[in-house]
C-alpha cells in the first residue's frame, strides 16, 4: 500500500512537472486523457470531442477569428471577454447611450443588437489528412516544387470531403508542416450583442493591471447566435431565431479551489515552442528590446498628453492600450526567459538532441540542423530588427507614417490599373477617416520626434506643419480626382516626400530580404521538428498554436514570482474595493457595486466562506486567441472565463515553465453576480443551467 502510494505520488509529480501544451481535441485518447484524469478530471476523450454525438467542442466558437466564445444556454447565449466584444460595444455607443461607460443589457430578445461583419465559427469535425497532403513529396523536390505539390494535393483532398452546403473546409499545417489536419466548420453570421458590464468592471484596472496578478477584472460580455428557421447559419435577418446548440456548457455554482482540475478549450493564435536557442536569444535579447524601446518612446509621449488633457485621454485610450499591451508582454517575456533559465535548459536539450541523432545514426540527415540555424539567425539578425522597427514605427506607433504607408500602397496599385487604384483609394479614405476620428497632431508629432530617431537618422518634424494629412479635410481634398492628379499632388506633399524613400526601401529590399531568410528558417524549422520527433520520439510534443481549436489543462494554482512572495490563486471582491480610486480612469468602482459589497448582497454566488470570488489562476497553457475561452471543471461545467496571463509567465509562447506560467480567468460566479445583482438581468441567468457538482 505504501509502495503504491509512493508510485502514485511519483506519477503525479511527473505529470505536473510536464504540464503545458495545447492539444488537438480529436487526439486526446491515451496520453492526454490519462494525464487529465490524473489531474482530477472525470471527463473522457469522447466527452470533449466526439463526431457522432454532441460533446464539449460543440459549445466552443471561434469569435470573429481572434477570440474564443462559448455557448451557455439552449438559446444560443454566448459568453466571451469584454475586450473581445469591445469594438462591437464601442460601435453601438454614443454620448447619449454610452455602453462602454455604463454597460448595456438587452432585457428581451428584441433589444439585442445586430453586429455587421461579426461571426462565430464552430468545428464540426477534424480529420488527419497528412498522408494525402504529403503524397508524392520527395526529399529531392525544391521548396517551391513541394509547395505546388501540396497545393495540388490540397485541391484533391477538398474535393473528396463530405460536407453540407452551409459548411466550410479548412486545412492547416501542424508541427511545421509535418502533419495536416482538415476542419469542417460552420460559421454563424447573425451575432447580436446581449450584454456588457461598464468598463469600470469589464476593464477594471485597465493597463496598470493588464498582464498582472493579483487581478480584479470582470472581463466578460455576452452575445447571442441567431440562425435561420432550420437552425442553420444565415446572414442577419429579423426573422432569424435564437440558435439551438448541439451542446451548451452548464455553469457551476461551486466554483474552484486551489488544486482543482481545469481545462481551457479555445483557439490559441500563435506560439513558438520549438525554436532553437539562437532564435530565442535573438527574440528576447535583440528584437524585443528594440521593439520595446520604440513603443516606450511612443507611450512616453502619449501618456504625458493623456494625463493632462481629458479629450486626448479618451481619444487615445484604445490606441494606447493596443501599444501598451504588446509592450508590456514583451518585457515580461524577456524577463521570464531569463528568470526561468530557458536558454540554458534549451542548450542542454540541444546537446541531448545531438546525442540522440548520433546514437540513432541520423547524423547524415539531421546532423547539421542546429549549426545551420546558427548561420541563418546570424544572417537574419540585422534585417529582423530593422524590419520589426519599420513595422513598429510605420504601422504601430506613428500615425502620419502609417498614413504614408497606406498612400504608398495606393500609388503602387495605380501602377497596376485604374480599378486597382480606385479600390486602394477607397480603402485609404476609410483608413484616414478611422485615424482622424481620434487624431491629435501634437501627440502624433511628439510620437514622431520620439520614435523616428530609433529607426532612422533622417528626422524632419517640420513635415507636420506642411503636410495635408494631419487634417482630414485637406487630406481628402488631396485624394480627389484621377490617379494622375492624385499622385502628382501626393508626390509634392512634404510628409510623403519624406516617408517615400523609406517605404520604397521597405518594399524593395527590407521585406524581400527578410522573407528570403525567413523562408529558409521556416524550411529548416520544419526539418528540425521532424528531426526532434524522429530522434527523440519519447518526448512530449504538441503542435504550436495556429488559431485552430485546442485544449490545454492544468490545475488551479498560485505561484511565487520572486523570493519570499507567494501569490494566492483566487482574488475576491474585497480586492476590487481595496484598489478603488474614486473617479480614476482605471480604478473607479461603480456606486452600485460598492453598495452590494457593503451589504454583502452576493446571493447564491458567494463561496463557502461568504466571499465573492473575482478571478483565479491556473497552470493552463494559453496564448493570445484564448481570450474568452471557457475554463471547464472536472465534470465539464463552466467555472471561469480565460482573459490573460501573468506577466512573469508571458514567455510561455516560447518556453512553458510550470513554475511561473499561469493563465488568468474570471470566476463565473462573479460574471453571474454582475449579470444578476448588478445589472438586474436575471432573465439571462434563468436561461442557463446552474449546477452544484461538488454537493
Ligand atoms: N493582455 C490581454 C490580451 O493580451 C488583455 C488585453 C486587453 N486589455 C487591456 N488592458 N489592454 O489580450
Ligand atoms: N488577452 C489575450 C487575448 O486576447 C489572452 C492573454 C494571452 O495572451 O494569454 O487572447
Amino acid at each position: 500500500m505504501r509502495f503504491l502510494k509512493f508510485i502514485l505520488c511519483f506519477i503525479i509529480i511527473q505529470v505536473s512537472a510536464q504540464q503545458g501544451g495545447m492539444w488537438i481535441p480529436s487526439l486526446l485518447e491515451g496520453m492526454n486523457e490519462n494525464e487529465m484524469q490524473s489531474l482530477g478530471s472525470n471527463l473522457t476523450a469522447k466527452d470533449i470531442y466526439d463526431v457522432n454525438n454532441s460533446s464539449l467542442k460543440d459549445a466552443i466558437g471561434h469569435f470573429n477569428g481572434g477570440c474564443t466564445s462559448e455557448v451557455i444556454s439552449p438559446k444560443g447565449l454566448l459568453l466571451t471577454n469584454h475586450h473581445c466584444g469591445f469594438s462591437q460595444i464601442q460601435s453601438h455607443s454614443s454620448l447619449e447611450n454610452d455602453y462602454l461607460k455604463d454597460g448595456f443589457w438587452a432585457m428581451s430578445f428584441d433589444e439585442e443588437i445586430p453586429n455587421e461583419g461579426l461571426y462565430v465559427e464552430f468545428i464540426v469535425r477534424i480529420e488527419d489528412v497528412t498522408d494525402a497532403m504529403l503524397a508524392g513529396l520527395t526529399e529531392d523536390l525544391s521548396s517551391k516544387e513541394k509547395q505546388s505539390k501540396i497545393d495540388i494535393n490540397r485541391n484533391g483532398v477538398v474535393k473528396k470531403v463530405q460536407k453540407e452546403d452551409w459548411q466550410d473546409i479548412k486545412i492547416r499545417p501542424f508541427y511545421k508542416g509535418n502533419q495536416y489536419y482538415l476542419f469542417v466548420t460552420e460559421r454563424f453570421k447573425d451575432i447580436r450583442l446581449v450584454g456588457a458590464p461598464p468598463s469600470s468592471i469589464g476593464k477594471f484596472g485597465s493597463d496598470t493591471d493588464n498582464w498582472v496578478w493579483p487581478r480584479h477584472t470582470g472581463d466578460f460580455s455576452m452575445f447571442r447566435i441567431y440562425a435561420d428557421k432550420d437552425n442553420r447559419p444565415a446572414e442577419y435577418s429579423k426573422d432569424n431565431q435564437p440558435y439551438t446548440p448541439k451542446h451548451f456548457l452548464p455553469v457551476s455554482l461551486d466554483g474552484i479551489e486551489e488544486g482543482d482540475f481545469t481545462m481551457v478549450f479555445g483557439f490559441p493564435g500563435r506560439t513558438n515552442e520549438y525554436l532553437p536557442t539562437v532564435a530565442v536569444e535573438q527574440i528576447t535579447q535583440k528584437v524585443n528590446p528594440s521593439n520595446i524601446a520604440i513603443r516606450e518612446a511612443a507611450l512616453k509621449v502619449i501618456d504625458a498628453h493623456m494625463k493632462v488633457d481629458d479629450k486626448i485621454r479618451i481619444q487615445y485610450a484604445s490606441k494606447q492600450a493596443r501599444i501598451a499591451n504588446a509592450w508590456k508582454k514583451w518585457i515580461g517575456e524577456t524577463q521570464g526567459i531569463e528568470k526561468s533559465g530557458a536558454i540554458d535548459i534549451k542548450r542542454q536539450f540541444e546537446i541531448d538532441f545531438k546525442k540522440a541523432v548520433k546514437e540513432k545514426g541520423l547524423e547524415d540527415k539531421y546532423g547539421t540542423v542546429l549549426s545551420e540555424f546558427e548561420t541563418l539567425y546570424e544572417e537574419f539578425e540585422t534585417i529582423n530588427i530593422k524590419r520589426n522597427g519599420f513595422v513598429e514605427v510605420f504601422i504601430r506607433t506613428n500615425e502620419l507614417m502609417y498614413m504614408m504607408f497606406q498612400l504608398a500602397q495606393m500609388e503602387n496599385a495605380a501602377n497596376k490599373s485604374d480599378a486597382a487604384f480606385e479600390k486602394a483609394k477607397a480603402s485609404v479614405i476609410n483608413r484616414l477617416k478611422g485615424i482622424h476620428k481620434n487624431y491629435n497632431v501634437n501627440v502624433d508629432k511628439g510620437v514622431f520626434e520620439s520614435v523616428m530617431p530609433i529607426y532612422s537618422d533622417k528626422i524632419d518634424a517640420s513635415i507636420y506643419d506642411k503636410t495635408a494629412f494631419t487634417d482630414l479635410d485637406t487630406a481628402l481634398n488631396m485624394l480627389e480626382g484621377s490617379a494622375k492628379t492624385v499622385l502628382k499632388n501626393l508626390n509634392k506633399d512634404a510628409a510623403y516626400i519624406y516617408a517615400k524613400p523609406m517605404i520604397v526601401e521597405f518594399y524593395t529590399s527590407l521585406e524581400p530580404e527578410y522573407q528570403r531568410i525567413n523562408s529558409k528558417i521556416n524550411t529548416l524549422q520544419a526539418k528540425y521538428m521532424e528531426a526532434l520527433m524522429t530522434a527523440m520520439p519519447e518526448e512530449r510534443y504538441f503542435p504550436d498554436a495556429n488559431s485552430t481549436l485546442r485544449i490545454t489543462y492544468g490545475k488551479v494554482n498560485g505561484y511565487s514570482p520572486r523570493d519570499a512572495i507567494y501569490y494566492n490563486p483566487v482574488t475576491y471582491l474585497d480586492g476590487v474595493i481595496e484598489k478603488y480610486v474614486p473617479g480614476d480612469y482605471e480604478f473607479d468602482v461603480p456606486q452600485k457595486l460598492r453598495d452590494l459589497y457593503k451589504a454583502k448582497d452576493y446571493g447564491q454566488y458567494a463561496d463557502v466562506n461568504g466571499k465573492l470570488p473575482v478571478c483565479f489562476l491556473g497552470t493552463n497553457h494559453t496564448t493570445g486567441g484564448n481570450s474568452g475561452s471557457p475554463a471547464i471543471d472536472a465534470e465539464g461545467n463552466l467555472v471561469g472565463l480565460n482573459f490573460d496571463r501573468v506577466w512573469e509567465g508571458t514567455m510561455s509562447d516560447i518556453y512553458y515553465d510550470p513554475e511561473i506560467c499561469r493563465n488568468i480567468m474570471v470566476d463565473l460566479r462573479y460574471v453571474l453576480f454582475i449579470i444578476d445583482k448588478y445589472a438586474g438581468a436575471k432573465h439571462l441567468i434563468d436561461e442557463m443551467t446552474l449546477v452544484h457538482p461538488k454537493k
Side-chain angles (χ1 to χ4, degrees):
M1 194 58 209
R2 271 181 75 171
F3 179 67
L4 198 78
K5 242 187 182 159
F6 171 75
I7 297 255
L8 269 178
C9 201
F10 181 70
I11 290 173
I12 289 168
I13 290 167
Q14 272 277 7
V15 164
S16 64
Q18 275 184 350
Q19 261 180 62
M22 304 163 171
W23 305 93
I24 304 174
S26 52
L27 303 177
L28 302 175
E29 265 164 41
M31 194 268 280
N32 295 128
E33 196 177 32
N34 293 340
E35 260 186 28
M36 281 191 272
Q37 288 172 354
S38 73
L39 289 166
S41 169
N42 293 318
L43 298 165
T44 64
K46 275 217 155 52
D47 293 331
I48 297 169
Y49 175 93
D50 195 347
V51 199
N52 303 312
N53 301 290
S54 68
S55 55
L56 290 178
K57 77 123 171 54
D58 296 316
I60 317 300
H62 206 177
F63 187 84
N64 225 16
C67 279
T68 304
S69 56
E70 51 278 355
V71 186
I72 56 170
S73 94
K75 292 177 194 157
L77 192 60
L78 196 71
L79 185 64
T80 188
N81 286 146
H82 186 263
H83 78 261
C84 294
F86 195 82
S87 67
Q88 282 77 30
I89 304 165
Q90 181 175 39
S91 75
H92 301 304
S93 294
S94 61
L95 281 176
E96 303 80 60
N97 293 313
D98 193 343
Y99 300 147
L100 279 179
K101 185 160 161 281
D102 305 323
F104 166 78
W105 296 95
M107 287 302 166
S108 65
F109 289 140
D110 291 351
E111 289 179 14
E112 299 178 353
I113 314 176
N115 297 282
E116 218 191 309
L118 177 62
Y119 66 88
V120 170
E121 194 166 272
F122 293 94
I123 305 299
V124 179
R125 65 173 198 275
I126 307 172
E127 282 171 27
D128 185 344
V129 291
T130 308
D131 290 345
M133 285 294 288
L134 297 180
L137 255 82
T138 44
E139 287 286 319
D140 51 305
L141 297 182
S142 72
S143 56
K144 217 178 173 171
E145 289 165 333
K146 275 188 186 156
Q147 193 51 54
S148 75
K149 186 89 196 111
I150 287 174
D151 292 341
I152 295 168
N153 288 346
R154 179 186 302 266
N155 289 337
V157 171
V158 166
K159 257 189 225 136
K160 276 199 220 131
V161 178
Q162 306 255 353
K163 68 162 194 72
E164 308 292 347
D165 293 344
W166 64 88
Q167 298 175 333
D168 300 306
I169 295 170
K170 276 181 193 162
I171 298 174
R172 293 280 179 274
F174 287 70
Y175 296 107
K176 314 296 165 200
N178 286 290
Q179 292 180 17
Y180 283 84
Y181 287 85
L182 176 144
F183 299 81
V184 176
T185 59
E186 272 177 16
R187 181 181 285 206
F188 288 84
K189 295 169 187 162
D190 186 351
I191 312 295
R192 304 186 195 169
L193 178 64
V194 172
S199 294
S200 53
I201 291 171
K203 213 186 162 193
F204 182 71
S206 194
D207 282 320
T208 302
D209 270 10
N210 192 21
W211 301 112
V212 164
W213 188 257
R215 190 64 157 275
H216 298 88
T217 315
D219 195 343
F220 78 97
S221 62
M222 301 182 91
F223 290 79
R224 190 186 303 282
I225 304 173
Y226 281 76
D228 70 11
K229 59 177 189 345
D230 300 318
N231 202 37
R232 285 182 194 149
E235 296 293 337
Y236 168 79
S237 156
K238 60 177 184 5
D239 300 328
N240 285 345
Q241 303 288 326
Y243 170 59
T244 306
K246 289 187 212 127
H247 182 72
F248 65 91
L249 300 176
V251 181
S252 167
L253 281 175
D254 293 344
I256 44 77
E257 55 193 298
E258 180 141 29
D260 279 0
F261 169 85
T262 59
M263 64 176 254
V264 172
F265 208 167
F267 294 84
R270 211 164 78 101
T271 58
N272 270 308
E273 310 284 345
Y274 303 98
L275 291 174
T277 313
V278 267
V280 178
E281 282 172 325
Q282 187 166 109
I283 292 167
T284 58
Q285 293 166 17
K286 301 284 165 56
V287 179
N288 280 355
S290 165
N291 289 354
I292 289 164
I294 296 172
R295 291 207 178 198
E296 204 149 278
L299 288 169
K300 210 170 68 198
V301 175
I302 299 172
D303 288 347
H305 280 277
M306 284 172 73
K307 255 189 206 129
V308 296
D309 187 324
D310 267 355
K311 186 170 170 214
I312 294 177
R313 178 175 60 70
I314 294 165
Q315 274 185 323
Y316 277 76
S318 162
K319 188 176 160 70
Q320 196 274 357
R322 210 172 336 113
I323 297 174
N325 193 39
W327 165 76
K328 199 161 175 180
K329 189 207 143 170
W330 289 327
I331 297 174
E333 184 173 84
T334 289
Q335 290 187 4
I337 289 291
E338 254 164 57
K339 186 180 155 62
S340 62
I343 299 287
D344 287 341
I345 294 168
K346 285 223 168 224
R347 260 209 201 100
Q348 183 54 49
F349 178 79
E350 286 171 3
I351 292 171
D352 296 344
F353 164 72
K354 278 191 219 156
K355 226 164 83 196
V357 166
K358 203 168 180 179
E359 277 167 18
K360 302 222 156 104
L362 297 165
E363 270 183 312
D364 282 354
K365 216 168 168 191
Y366 304 127
T368 60
V369 172
L370 288 172
S371 62
E372 283 176 57
F373 269 130
E374 299 273 347
T375 315
L376 276 176
Y377 273 100
E378 197 181 298
E379 195 188 351
F380 197 41
E381 183 169 310
T382 312
I383 198 94
N384 192 13
I385 293 168
K386 182 135 196 229
R387 183 196 182 257
N388 268 279
F390 182 90
V391 171
E392 288 302 312
V393 172
F394 281 78
I395 298 175
R396 308 271 184 246
T397 58
N398 189 240
E399 294 166 284
L400 185 59
M401 289 306 109
Y402 184 56
M403 294 187 240
M404 296 308 121
F405 185 63
Q406 297 297 326
L407 291 162
Q409 286 176 358
M410 182 187 76
E411 178 162 16
N412 237 344
N415 294 332
K416 287 190 198 114
S417 70
D418 277 353
F421 169 77
E422 289 304 330
K423 204 174 147 209
K425 185 167 115 176
S427 133
V428 171
I429 289 175
N430 257 334
R431 287 255 161 82
L432 289 175
K433 284 182 179 161
I435 291 170
H436 278 283
K437 217 183 272 166
N438 290 306
Y439 186 74
N440 179 292
V441 61
N442 293 325
V443 177
D444 196 41
K445 186 176 175 186
V447 169
F448 176 88
E449 289 172 322
S450 186
V451 300
M452 193 52 97
I454 306 177
Y455 181 75
S456 164
D457 45 21
K458 249 180 53 236
I459 325 146
D460 178 9
S462 78
I463 56 171
Y464 275 83
D465 309 324
K466 302 177 208 151
T467 179
F469 291 93
T470 51
D471 176 83
L472 185 60
D473 289 335
T474 51
L476 293 181
N477 224 349
M478 185 163 278
L479 293 178
E480 253 163 52
S482 67
K484 211 171 144 204
T485 327
V486 171
L487 294 184
K488 201 176 100 204
N489 292 332
L490 182 58
N491 278 287
K492 287 186 202 147
D493 185 88
Y496 197 69
I497 293 171
Y498 169 82
K500 194 170 161 178
M502 287 186 267
I503 298 170
V504 169
E505 187 200 12
F506 174 78
Y507 278 118
T508 54
S509 70
L510 211 52
E511 182 66 1
E513 180 64 359
Y514 173 89
Q515 294 302 349
R516 183 184 68 81
I517 307 174
N518 197 37
S519 95
K520 281 193 194 169
I521 287 177
N522 289 338
T523 307
L524 191 61
Q525 187 75 51
K527 189 167 174 188
Y528 183 41
M529 192 80 238
E530 175 192 297
L532 287 172
M533 294 169 107
T534 314
M536 305 165 91
E538 67 289 350
E539 287 284 323
R540 188 172 170 274
Y541 301 105
F542 58 90
D544 268 320
N546 58 357
S547 293
T548 61
L549 185 61
R550 303 294 179 89
I551 80 146
T552 165
Y553 46 83
K555 285 185 171 219
V556 176
N557 206 190
Y559 72 108
S560 173
R562 286 182 296 285
D563 185 34
I565 299 177
Y566 182 77
Y567 280 150
N568 291 333
V570 181
T571 61
Y572 298 94
L573 189 59
D574 311 64
V576 174
I577 303 302
E578 246 172 46
K579 284 179 177 172
Y580 169 46
V581 180
D584 186 68
Y585 136 77
E586 299 187 303
F587 292 102
D588 199 12
V589 176
Q591 177 75 46
K592 176 124 191 235
L593 188 55
R594 283 181 281 132
D595 290 346
L596 288 163
Y597 174 72
K598 226 183 252 153
K600 300 284 174 287
D601 184 4
Y602 304 154
Q604 58 184 335
Y605 310 115
D607 72 359
V608 286
N609 301 313
K611 288 168 59 155
L612 184 67
V614 173
C615 294
F616 64 100
L617 292 177
T619 59
N620 309 291
H621 188 178
T622 55
T623 188
N626 270 124
S627 274
S629 298
I632 293 170
D633 73 2
E635 319 295 332
N637 306 306
L638 185 63
V639 286
L641 184 61
N642 182 74
F643 71 100
D644 211 357
R645 274 175 290 167
V646 302
W647 198 51
E648 297 82 359
T650 55
M651 86 296 190
S652 65
D653 291 347
I654 297 175
Y655 174 74
Y656 180 87
D657 179 352
E659 287 294 314
I660 52 171
C661 291
R662 296 289 177 274
N663 69 314
I664 305 179
M665 297 154 277
V666 202
D667 195 302
L668 244 288
R669 290 169 293 183
Y670 188 54
V671 172
L672 298 187
F673 162 83
I674 295 294
I675 298 172
D676 182 350
K677 294 281 179 173
Y678 180 86
K682 180 87 182 358
H683 63 287
L684 296 174
I685 308 277
D686 295 339
E687 260 187 56
M688 305 174 199
T689 300
L690 305 184
V691 295
H692 280 288
K694 291 186 176 178
K695 276 178 193 148

